Amino acid sequence: MRLYFGTYPHDIAEFPEEGIWYASLDASSAQITDLQQKVELSSPSFITWDRDHSSVIAVSENPEGELTELAVTDEELEIVARVSTRGAHPCHVIVAGGQAIVTNYGSGSVFSQQLPLTHDSQSASGRNFQQTGTGPVADRQEGPHAHFAGQLPGSQYVWVTDLGADRIFRYAISQDSNGAPNLDALGSAVEFPGGMGPRHIACGLNGHAYVVGELDGKVYTVAYSTADGSGQIVWDGLLLEDTEQEYWASHVELSADQERLYVALRGVDQVVVFDVVDDGSLRRIASAPVIGAWPRHFRVIEGTDALAGHDIIVVANQNSHTVDVLSFDATRREFSERTSVRLPSPACVLPIEA
């Protein structure tokens, strides 16, 4: 298994440039090797694939956000084109319906742009949607903060979490009169209790989506409808209990078999795993500390050979400048720490499919 990593700016002498990095992961031993920078790029805090995996799509999380397309040839990356995201501090991007859908955290807006990018895309078909709303946490919810976009499985609907507005906004993928990709704003899909601060979503194939609250320390199960893109909260629970330490959830992801849900917690620097129950509830199985600090993002990868039956969790630790690899034995239901390597301010993990 091969991986790309998006990063944040840093001030570390051993890493003079910021950009996108590459590494190899041995899924039978959970060892990371061959770490190298592939391209210099400003603050590529989130990266994803285009439809056919021929290009990487990156957002640069700067005051004036940028969207960049990078062609991939034998794991090498070459910048093809870049455009403005028409907003501040974009922190997430997906590709859906032939377009990149970007969440601008700073300006609380959503930007969509037809792919592939070209040098004249700046004046082409991009659209910008301003979200609205506030919440009771004055220093974090003074206005809208779009944070994550995800397409509901088997549908044309896209959900966008807004940490500042305590809600999920609903969009629909469509085509314009010329058959080009388009995006339509449809208003609110889910409203959460005040001060929840929805951050990331893991969409299951069972009709349930799992949403973490960065500000209230909870995880919510939301039943979604592929018919109209609506959602209804059916369960919620604390990510951790019996702790006085502050923590802030970051990423959430399901195992490949959809039976376990993983959540990373900053502050306490842990990964928590839950059983997914048919009625929508979650049952905490275990938690484990990461080796580094401030786990911002992770990906769950199936183990092989000696680690068959394990989930391998590759964790990007922003503040310790490390990538950690943990494994979870689904049979014994326990974590084990594996390896840690140095990487400047990692923010995103992107597996490269063979």
Side-chain angles (χ1 to χ4, degrees), residues 220-233:
Y220 292 74
T221 302
V222 180
Y224 63 81
S225 168
T226 57
D228 62 6
S230 62
Q232 180 178 1
I233 299 170

Side-chain angles (χ1 to χ4, degrees), residues 22-64:
Y22 165 94
S24 295
L25 170 70
D26 186 338
S28 66
S29 66
Q31 298 288 323
I32 285 184
T33 58
D34 195 26
L35 189 64
Q36 54 187 286
Q37 187 175 8
K38 286 297 183 182
V39 69
E40 184 177 358
L41 189 66
S42 175
S43 194
S45 66
F46 204 89
I47 57 178
T48 191
W49 291 108
D50 69 354
R51 285 183 296 183
D52 61 6
H53 284 214
S54 63
S55 296
V56 167
I57 309 299
V59 289
S60 289
E61 193 170 342
N62 294 320
E64 296 181 2

Side-chain angles (χ1 to χ4, degrees), residues 52-109:
D52 61 6
H53 284 214
S54 63
S55 296
V56 167
I57 309 299
V59 289
S60 289
E61 193 170 342
N62 294 320
E64 296 181 2
E66 286 189 317
L67 176 71
T68 302
E69 181 171 358
L70 304 102
V72 180
T73 305
D74 297 328
E75 283 78 58
E76 298 300 322
L77 298 175
E78 180 181 359
I79 294 174
V80 175
R82 57 168 61 111
V83 300
S84 169
T85 66
R86 304 185 195 175
H89 297 104
C91 63
H92 191 263
V93 58
I94 63 169
V95 172
Q99 59 197 314
I101 301 173
V102 177
T103 53
N104 290 306
Y105 179 84
S107 53
S109 58

Side-chain angles (χ1 to χ4, degrees), residues 206 208 210 219 221 235 253-255 257-263 272-287 311 328-335:
N206 59 355
H208 290 146
Y210 308 94
V219 57
T221 302
W235 182 88
E253 189 164 315
L254 286 157
S255 59
D257 60 12
Q258 303 267 307
E259 294 182 359
R260 292 167 300 283
L261 184 78
Y262 292 88
V263 184
V272 184
V273 59
F274 297 86
D275 272 330
V276 174
V277 184
D278 289 342
D279 65 2
S281 62
L282 299 171
R283 295 174 185 162
R284 189 183 302 102
I285 304 171
S287 63
D311 293 328
F328 182 79
D329 187 323
T331 301
R332 294 186 177 182
R333 301 167 73 76
E334 60 185 18
F335 281 97

